[in-house]
Amino acid sequence: MATNRTFTMIKPDAVGNGHMGSILNDIISAGFKIKAMKYIQLSQAQAEGFYAIHRERPFFKDLVSFMISGPIVAAILEKDNAVEDFRKLIGATDPSKAEEGTIRRKYAKSIDANAVHGSDSDENAEIEGNYFFSQFERF
Ligand code: ATP
Ligand code: MG
């Protein structure tokens, strides 16, 4: 059964290009409630740990260096059917294939600098939220 939480990051490209406020506004306007949030710059070890599932992929090294290249916003979001609805809101991984009106279509330039992350399953939403936030940092 779908749970009501997902995890997101606003990636360094979007923060650096000044889209943090607009993206948060789109997320909140779409009905997501922010249950935890922090503005941080990841260390190499933190980024490698987060993307461990992609360790063998050819783009892993570039992905990690991109994710540590500047600050990010990490957040836990709540809404009915959160994981699926948030993936719809952000659009396809490659922004050129993302639907009109989606966050990646509006704010991302390429598949490797694609503005936002969204968990791909309830299980990963839980794991990813726990990776970034202690029980005292969420409500
Ligand atoms: P995310 O996990 O960031 O929400 P996603 O679930 O749409 O994105 P994944 O397959 O999990 O896509 O890939 C993680 C990230 O790795 C992508 O957001 C993208 O930046 C990068 N990536 C994925 N595929 C490629 C690729 N073919 N070339 C370059 N980078 C890629
Ligand atoms: Mg993914």
Side-chain angles (χ1 to χ4, degrees):
M1 207 190 83
T3 66
N4 58 358
R5 288 194 173 203
T6 191
F7 171 80
T8 187
M9 287 185 284
I10 302 176
K11 297 185 179 183
D13 59 317
V15 172
N17 291 331
H19 299 312
M20 176 164 78
S22 307
I23 291 174
L24 284 173
N25 191 47
D26 283 4
I27 291 171
I28 293 164
S29 299
F32 291 88
K33 299 261 184 293
I34 294 173
K35 306 305 282 187
M37 187 159 75
K38 56 175 71 162
Y39 182 47
I40 50 172
Q41 185 155 1
L42 294 174
S43 69
Q44 173 139 347
Q46 284 171 324
E48 286 174 355
F50 184 81
Y51 283 112
I53 192 162
H54 296 308
R55 207 183 302 115
E56 306 304 328
R57 309 274 285 273
F59 56 81
F60 179 71
K61 243 180 135 199
D62 290 343
L63 175 60
V64 169
S65 29
F66 165 65
M67 287 304 294
I68 67 174
S69 66
I72 59 136
V73 177
I76 294 173
L77 305 173
E78 189 173 272
K79 182 186 180 296
D80 287 348
N81 202 34
V83 166
E84 197 185 331
D85 285 4
F86 193 71
R87 299 279 295 193
K88 266 190 212 134
L89 178 68
I90 68 179
T93 308
D94 181 348
S96 69
K97 301 196 175 105
E99 270 182 54
E100 206 66 53
T102 59
I103 290 176
R104 281 171 169 161
R105 181 63 175 258
K106 289 202 282 186
Y107 305 112
K109 296 212 166 64
S110 67
I111 189 166
D112 36 50
N114 60 3
V116 277
H117 163 78
S119 305
D120 59 13
S121 66
D122 291 341
E123 193 194 358
N124 285 337
E126 173 92 19
I127 292 168
E128 292 169 2
N130 290 340
Y131 190 77
F132 278 88
F133 296 101
S134 78
Q135 61 178 304
F136 305 110
E137 295 173 310
R138 60 183 118 156
F139 51 94

